[in-house]
């Protein structure tokens, strides 16, 4: 099975704007995501998940190590030709309609006009935004913007879908929709890489997970492997791996 | 190139849908119309003064539109977080900058077309003939000149976080060059060293925006400048624009977006 994402000894550092001290956000991270798998990228806030994603998407340069997508260095724009990205906060050009946004993004991907029209119709139907396709995005509710986000992430029929907390702020119907899309991608042999705090969601869809804490990789494997010592409960395993201790237990000690 | 054109199209669409841009058009058109009515006195001097006022207004409006549009691009994208979704596509930083520049420059071109066409219509309704070559040179030279402040404002948005600061500094700089740039070397002659040498170097390094100011062709109905000179001026503007955009790209290419 080929590796879609390769991260080798990745180091990402930031300078604290107030203290000017250098903070290590990602500390020599090494992992690989195989083609066709659904990979969960977990960790508490500040673990380094977003920093890692920012490097993969070319938003932030790494201070050390390497990252490749489909064998191409992530610093090359062509590395993003076959990916779809759904950010956690879905903001799109408010002066555009959904149709115009998808057309603009389609042109950036180099899709022809006929293909853009066909994909737009298909995706707006999938995310149930057909009736709002000619309305300006500034009139959309948060849920509608998130559904539009899913549509733009799938526009180029990506071989790799990168989702940053895809169910954050979604109602149960929205979460179900996201889960359906993830499973559909896997069924089509595509790869999904997503970060999430919703461990229930992760348990139900992921083939493998990685748990980060304080910039370091603490666990990597299938959900069963990672939660083996915790009676198969991922949440329990997560808390143990990041070193959280029940206050009642700590007090008793 | 397709990505840059798609981004340019977004800039144009945004400008068309921003209502505040139409205020500038309306004010300029209104003042031009009112000033054009002064011709009823059939005084040639008054006609020349009115033309000068209208063309100055067009120049100022052009500067304001160019700089405020360009200065707003990057901060607005960063603030609204649309920058991340856009650059998660196969778009290089250079294509992003080129697209933003192209969109702003084309928008200025459309605005100038409107301004000159409207003013030309008012002028033609009062005069027996209109020297189209002179009008074309004036409009095209101003359009190419505006590429320089647009590039400066785009580069400035990578240095100054606030769009307002960037716009103010760029406008002050451009107005200063337009109005005072031609006199710098004369001032330098009267200064002691090393200030004199530094000012002379600055005189030669600055893009001389005043070279593109050929309003007098229209005001005094002078013959157009030789076409080779006109072409040379366009290339001069293109060279400075290219240099500034490359500097902007060097600043932008490795910058963390968040």
């Amino acid at each position: 099975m080929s590796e879609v994402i390769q991260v080798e000894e990745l180091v990402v550092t930031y300078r604290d704007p107030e203290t000017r001290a250098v903070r290590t956000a990602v500390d020599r991270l090494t992992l690989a995501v195989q083609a066709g798998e659904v990979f969960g990228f977990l960790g508490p806030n500040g673990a380094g998940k977003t920093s890692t994603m920012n490097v993969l998407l070319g938003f932030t340069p790494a201070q050390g190590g390497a990252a490749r997508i489909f064998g191409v260095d992530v610093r090359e724009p062509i590395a993003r030709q076959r990916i779809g990205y759904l950010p956690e906060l879905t903001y799109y050009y408010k002066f555009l309609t959904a149709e115009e946004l998808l057309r603009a993004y389609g042109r950036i991907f180099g899709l022809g006009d006929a293909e853009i029209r066909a994909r737009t119709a298909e995706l707006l139907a999938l995310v149930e935004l057909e009736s709002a396709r000619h309305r300006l995005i500034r009139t959309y509710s948060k849920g509608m913007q998130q559904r539009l986000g899913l549509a733009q992430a799938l526009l180029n029929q990506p071989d790799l879908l990168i989702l940053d907390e895809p169910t954050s702020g979604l109602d149960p119907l929205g979460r179900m929709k996201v889960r359906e899309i993830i499973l559909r991608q896997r069924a089509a042999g595509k790869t999904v890489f997503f970060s999430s705090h919703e461990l229930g969601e992760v348990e139900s869809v992921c083939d493998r997970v990685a748990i980060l804490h304080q910039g370091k990789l603490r666990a990597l494997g299938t959900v069963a492997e990672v939660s083996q010592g915790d009676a198969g409960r991922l949440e329990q395993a997560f808390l143990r791996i990041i070193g959280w201790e029940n206050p009642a237990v700590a007090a008793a000690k | 190139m397709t990505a840059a054109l798609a981004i340019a199209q977004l800039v144009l669409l945004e400008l068309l849908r921003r209502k505040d841009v139409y205020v500038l058009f309306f004010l300029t058109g209104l003042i031009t119309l009112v000033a054009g009515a002064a011709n009823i006195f059939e005084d040639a001097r008054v006609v020349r003064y009115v033309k000068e006022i209208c063309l100055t207004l067009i120049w100022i409006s052009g500067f304001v539109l160019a700089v405020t549009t360009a200065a707003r691009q990057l901060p607005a994208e960063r603030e609204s977080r649309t920058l991340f979704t856009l650059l998660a596509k196969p778009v290089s930083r250079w294509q992003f900058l080129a697209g933003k520049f192209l969109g702003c420059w084309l928008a200025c071109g459309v605005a100038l077309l409107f301004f000159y066409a409207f003013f030309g219509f008012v002028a033609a309704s009062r005069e027996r003939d209109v020297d189209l070559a002179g009008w074309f040179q004036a409009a095209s030279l101003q359009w190419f000149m505006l590429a320089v402040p647009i590039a400066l404002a785009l580069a400035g948005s990578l240095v100054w976080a606030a769009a307002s600061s960037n716009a103010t500094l760029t406008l002050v700089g451009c107005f200063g060059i337009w109005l005072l740039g031609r006199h710098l070397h004369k001032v330098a002659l009267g200064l002691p060293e090393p200030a004199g040498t530094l000012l002379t170097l600055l005189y030669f390094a600055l893009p001389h925006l005043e070279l593109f100011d050929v309003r007098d062709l229209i005001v005094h109905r002078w013959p157009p400048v030789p076409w080779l000179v006109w072409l040379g001026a366009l290339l001069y503007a293109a060279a400075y624009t290219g240099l500034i955009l490359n500097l902007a790209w060097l600043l932008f290419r490795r910058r963390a977006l968040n």
Side-chain angles (χ1 to χ4, degrees):
Chain A
M1 204 186 280
S2 61
E3 292 173 344
V4 169
I5 296 176
Q6 295 162 307
V7 175
E8 291 163 8
E9 297 286 310
L10 192 71
V11 176
V12 181
T13 58
Y14 294 113
R15 193 172 288 280
D16 189 299
E18 285 176 14
T19 66
R20 307 300 295 162
V22 173
R23 191 177 75 80
T24 304
V26 180
D27 191 357
R28 286 169 294 149
L29 174 67
T30 297
L31 59 81
V33 178
Q34 307 295 332
E37 71 176 340
V38 178
F39 193 96
F41 198 44
L42 314 177
N45 292 334
K49 304 187 304 294
T50 303
S51 298
T52 304
M53 280 194 163
N54 286 343
V55 170
L56 290 176
L57 292 161
F59 299 158
T60 306
Q63 280 68 46
R68 284 182 290 276
I69 293 179
F70 295 110
V72 179
D73 191 314
V74 295
R75 290 172 295 187
E76 300 294 325
I78 199 67
R80 302 188 284 278
Q81 181 66 33
R82 293 162 65 188
I83 73 169
Y85 169 58
L86 177 65
E88 179 184 0
L89 300 170
T90 52
Y91 294 115
Y92 303 102
Y93 298 107
K94 296 196 183 307
F95 57 88
L96 296 179
T97 64
E99 194 171 283
E100 287 168 341
L101 182 81
L102 294 178
R103 189 184 315 133
Y105 285 163
R107 286 194 177 138
I108 287 171
F109 278 117
L111 305 180
D113 285 345
E115 190 178 353
I116 292 173
R117 274 196 298 274
R119 289 293 294 155
T120 300
E122 187 187 326
L123 289 168
L124 290 179
L126 174 71
V127 299
E128 295 165 18
L129 282 177
E130 275 173 310
S131 58
R133 65 190 293 160
H134 298 301
R135 276 171 45 192
L136 293 180
I137 294 171
R138 70 161 56 91
T139 66
Y140 283 16
S141 65
K142 186 181 173 194
M144 290 170 78
Q145 288 193 43
Q146 281 172 318
R147 295 197 324 256
L148 177 60
L150 276 171
Q152 64 83 32
L154 296 170
L155 183 64
N156 59 326
Q157 295 177 300
D159 292 316
L160 167 65
L161 203 52
I162 297 179
L163 311 172
D164 191 358
E165 314 237 10
T167 57
S168 168
L170 284 182
D171 60 19
L173 206 60
R175 287 169 195 244
M176 188 193 71
K177 200 68 164 178
V178 170
R179 204 163 41 240
E180 267 177 24
I181 287 170
I182 291 174
L183 294 174
R184 190 192 305 221
Q185 289 290 103
R186 180 167 62 186
K190 309 295 177 81
T191 311
V192 179
F193 178 87
F194 75 99
S195 71
S196 181
H197 287 308
E198 303 290 336
L199 298 182
E201 300 279 348
V202 170
E203 271 181 302
S204 65
V205 300
C206 284
D207 297 309
R208 288 196 305 148
V209 297
I211 298 177
L212 252 65
H213 183 49
Q214 293 175 340
K216 289 186 191 296
L217 182 66
R218 304 290 186 182
L220 176 66
T222 64
V223 172
E225 286 166 358
V226 166
S227 54
Q228 195 174 21
D230 299 279
R233 290 174 58 197
L234 184 60
E235 186 176 308
Q236 207 64 32
F238 180 88
L239 292 171
R240 172 182 53 80
I241 286 165
I242 67 168
W244 182 84
E245 196 173 8
N246 189 322
V249 170
K253 283 181 186 171
Chain B
M1 196 58 197
T2 317
L5 288 172
I7 292 167
Q9 206 167 8
L10 289 174
V11 174
L12 283 166
L13 260 175
E14 192 209 0
L15 210 59
L16 280 172
R17 291 178 183 176
R18 281 178 70 97
K19 296 188 175 51
D20 53 356
V21 169
Y22 296 108
V23 172
L24 193 66
F25 283 123
F26 176 74
L27 282 174
T28 307
L30 183 67
I31 292 171
T32 304
L33 207 57
V34 168
N39 201 25
I40 61 172
F41 297 108
E42 297 290 339
D43 186 329
R45 287 172 303 173
V46 172
V47 169
R48 282 201 298 270
Y49 290 144
V50 162
K51 276 181 169 177
E52 185 122 23
I53 289 166
C54 290
L55 287 168
T56 304
L57 195 64
I58 289 172
W59 263 69
I60 293 170
S61 299
F63 268 125
V64 171
L65 183 68
V67 171
T68 55
T69 304
R72 197 179 57 234
Q73 293 302 316
L74 196 55
E77 291 256 15
R78 196 185 280 126
E79 208 174 288
S80 65
R81 301 188 72 80
T82 49
L83 181 65
F84 299 96
T85 328
L86 181 62
L87 289 180
K89 309 281 182 281
V91 180
S92 67
R93 304 267 177 121
W94 169 248
Q95 286 171 323
F96 175 80
L97 276 177
K100 288 296 184 183
F101 166 79
L102 208 57
C104 294
W105 191 52
L106 288 172
C108 286
V110 169
L112 286 181
L113 197 63
F114 170 81
F115 289 146
Y116 276 94
F118 187 75
F119 177 51
F121 172 75
V122 171
S125 67
R126 301 288 181 228
E127 294 169 347
R128 276 169 301 172
D129 60 338
V130 169
D131 178 20
L132 284 176
W135 280 75
F136 171 75
Q137 282 192 346
S140 57
L141 285 170
Q142 186 183 356
W143 185 36
F144 267 74
M145 180 279 298
L146 286 175
V148 176
I150 289 169
L152 280 171
L154 280 174
S157 62
L158 294 164
V159 177
W160 292 284
S164 52
S165 313
N166 179 23
T168 304
L169 287 167
T170 307
L171 272 173
V172 166
C174 288
F175 279 132
I177 294 170
W178 175 34
L179 299 169
L180 304 170
R182 73 190 80 196
H183 305 297
L184 283 181
H185 68 298
K186 293 175 206 162
V187 173
L189 287 173
L191 289 178
E193 291 301 327
T197 303
L198 287 172
L199 198 59
T200 304
L201 286 172
L202 183 67
Y203 171 79
F204 284 107
L206 285 176
H208 284 271
L209 306 180
E210 75 277 10
L211 295 175
F212 299 84
D213 185 358
V214 295
R215 288 173 291 158
D216 287 343
L217 293 185
I218 297 173
V219 171
H220 302 290
R221 299 170 68 85
W222 289 345
V225 300
W227 288 101
L228 269 179
V229 173
W230 169 82
L231 185 65
L234 300 190
L235 292 173
Y236 176 86
Y240 263 103
T241 304
L243 178 68
I244 296 166
L245 284 177
N246 269 292
L247 288 171
W249 173 70
L250 287 172
L251 283 173
F252 190 42
R253 66 183 178 145
R254 290 275 180 259
R255 179 166 295 190
L257 296 182
N258 48 344

